[in-house]
Amino acid sequence: MNKLAQSWFNASYQRMLQGPVAHWLETLPAQLAHWAKHDLHGEFDKWCRLVAKLPSTTPSETDLINQVRIGKEGDISDYERKQIEGLLRQFMPWRKGPFYIHGIHLDTEWRSDWKWERVLPHISPLANRQVLDVGCGSGYHMWRMLGENAHSVYGIDPSQLFLIQFQAIKHFYASEAIHFLPVGIEQMPALQAFDTVFSMGVLYHRKDPLLFLTQLRDQLRKGGELVLETLVVDGDEHTVLMAGERYAQMRNVWFLPSVEALKRWLSRLGFINIVVADINVTTVKEQRTTPWMTSQSLADFLNPEDNTKTIEGYPAPQRAVIVATKR
Ligand SMILES: C[S@@+](CC[C@H](N)C(=O)[O-])C[C@H]1O[C@@H](n2cnc3c(N)ncnc32)[C@H](O)[C@@H]1O
């Protein structure tokens, strides 16, 4: 493994040692060593070299509460600004954000801040909690969790480009409390240790959604909180849509339950206090092509004559946020 990546993971291990998730260390270092030997993306070492080229800066102020805003424009020279922007562009496409780094606006495909605004009012305060974000993407919401004073925030996601994007942002705000591990949920031991587990935008990508919910449950301590966000369809507790080859052009979509069906799944798996916090139809303002993600986006995936349908004829994306407690 290259030295930079090793230093990222060593810092994560140090953090884990101090807290209730220390058991993770029984499996994680060997998994990441194996990952570095056998699963590295062809560009990974190049991306790491580019991260290492990001200039060191001293952010005069940081806001993680209202946005992810690190540093001000005046903290850096014009030359540094061009250098940072050029390097960050090497990590395109940027899907989850936005980020503001010393005044550089990374206008991502998703307004992930809008999702956070729908979620935050409905969850237990994160202050001092051990938090896991499963399928964390670039880590956008992890920064917002840190802004809410979580004790430690761990994100897992198998995407190596997302790992690099996360580390590129962390370069500018080197908090010891926030860590990204490039593993899938199925690789985690049942830690039963986190106070809050988030999983947003992942359930429909899992071939076995009930196993996935069980894996999320197994990361929570007794009484811990699950915050689940996923695509849903209208219908009663018997309604679950299984997508064909593609849903809104995505190939890896499996099950879209109704909210009632999802509630039943959660209750059968031992969750209580199941609350539907929000239901929202995704708009082309929330997911769109931008200068930082230049390929097709939601507007291209909807039926041009009827925006309530995807181009495959399924109901257009509608998302629910559900909060539940582990019994
Ligand atoms: C649609 S994105 C959601 C990102 C972010 N949570 C959000 O709400 O914007 C789904 C993410 O799940 C990740 N993912 C897919 N399979 C996973 C697995 N087995 N374990 C953890 N994450 C996974 C993907 O790499 C991807 O980044």
Side-chain angles (χ1 to χ4, degrees):
M1 176 169 346
N2 73 56
K3 280 189 182 153
L4 185 61
Q6 190 65 65
S7 73
W8 298 336
F9 301 145
N10 287 345
S12 307
Y13 303 155
Q14 285 304 320
R15 186 73 179 182
M16 286 170 194
L17 263 180
Q18 300 162 23
V21 305
H23 286 308
W24 204 353
L25 293 169
E26 289 164 18
T27 51
L28 185 62
Q31 284 168 342
L32 291 180
H34 182 274
W35 167 87
K37 233 179 182 170
H38 302 286
D39 300 332
L40 277 198
H41 189 286
E43 304 272 280
F44 186 77
D45 285 334
K46 183 188 100 183
W47 289 335
C48 288
R49 286 195 295 275
L50 293 170
V51 171
K53 281 190 184 169
L54 287 165
S56 293
T57 65
T58 310
S60 57
E61 58 182 45
T62 294
D63 175 15
L64 301 175
I65 297 177
N66 303 298
Q67 282 291 345
V68 179
R69 203 180 285 279
I70 301 173
K72 289 202 297 194
E73 196 174 347
D75 301 339
I76 55 172
S77 65
D78 274 358
Y79 176 77
E80 285 171 320
R81 184 176 205 285
K82 287 199 183 101
Q83 197 184 7
I84 294 169
E85 186 163 346
L87 286 164
L88 294 179
R89 281 193 182 277
Q90 304 282 319
F91 309 137
M92 282 172 62
W94 283 83
R95 294 190 184 277
K96 313 292 179 180
F99 298 97
Y100 300 86
I101 305 295
H102 290 294
I104 301 165
H105 174 194
L106 281 80
D107 188 9
T108 49
E109 177 189 17
W110 282 87
R111 291 295 308 261
S112 309
D113 48 335
W114 294 2
K115 186 183 287 191
W116 188 243
E117 280 160 23
R118 291 194 292 268
V119 167
L120 184 62
H122 306 285
I123 64 175
S124 299
L126 294 178
N128 293 320
R129 287 170 88 99
Q130 300 281 336
V131 176
L132 176 69
D133 187 3
V134 175
C136 61
S138 66
Y140 175 81
H141 296 116
M142 294 167 65
W143 292 104
R144 304 300 301 270
M145 294 166 199
L146 193 64
E148 296 300 315
N149 286 322
H151 178 279
S152 299
V153 182
Y154 299 96
I156 62 165
D157 199 302
S159 160
Q160 297 180 27
L161 182 60
F162 280 147
L163 166 64
I164 292 293
Q165 292 178 346
F166 170 81
Q167 295 296 349
I169 301 298
K170 190 171 173 180
H171 171 89
F172 295 98
Y173 189 75
S175 163
E176 287 172 8
I178 184 166
H179 297 274
F180 184 123
L181 291 316
V183 293
I185 182 73
E186 60 286 353
Q187 291 173 272
M188 286 188 71
L191 292 173
Q192 313 213 49
F194 291 96
D195 300 305
T196 305
V197 169
F198 288 86
S199 186
M200 303 190 282
V202 188
L203 182 99
Y204 52 88
H205 289 313
R206 303 304 294 157
K207 212 183 275 188
D208 186 339
L210 287 160
L211 174 62
F212 178 65
L213 292 174
T214 308
Q215 290 163 335
L216 297 178
R217 186 196 66 197
D218 288 348
Q219 298 309 324
L220 282 166
R221 65 157 166 85
K222 214 170 162 216
E225 189 165 272
L226 173 68
V227 183
L228 185 72
E229 192 256 12
T230 193
L231 290 171
V232 292
V233 290
D234 292 334
D236 64 14
E237 67 272 31
H238 305 296
T239 311
V240 180
L241 182 141
M242 185 184 188
E245 203 55 33
R246 285 175 182 246
Y247 171 86
Q249 283 297 295
M250 290 183 282
R251 282 188 189 282
N252 53 352
V253 174
W254 295 91
F255 294 101
L256 279 62
S258 69
V259 165
E260 291 306 315
L262 192 49
K263 280 164 68 182
R264 181 168 281 190
W265 290 356
L266 287 165
S267 110
R268 290 282 315 268
L269 294 173
F271 287 95
I272 54 173
N273 307 329
I274 302 165
V275 174
V276 182
D278 186 78
I279 300 178
N280 176 273
V281 174
T282 309
T283 68
V284 294
K285 288 193 171 143
E286 183 165 352
Q287 185 191 6
R288 74 279 190 253
T289 303
T290 72
W292 292 81
M293 199 302 290
T294 52
S295 41
Q296 291 189 323
S297 191
L298 183 60
D300 308 293
F301 309 149
L302 295 177
N303 179 336
E305 263 116 58
D306 177 4
N307 268 0
T308 67
K309 299 246 178 318
T310 67
I311 51 175
E312 302 86 5
Y314 293 120
Q318 179 182 213
R319 295 168 174 267
V321 177
I322 297 200
V323 182
T325 307
K326 177 175 172 175
R327 189 166 50 211

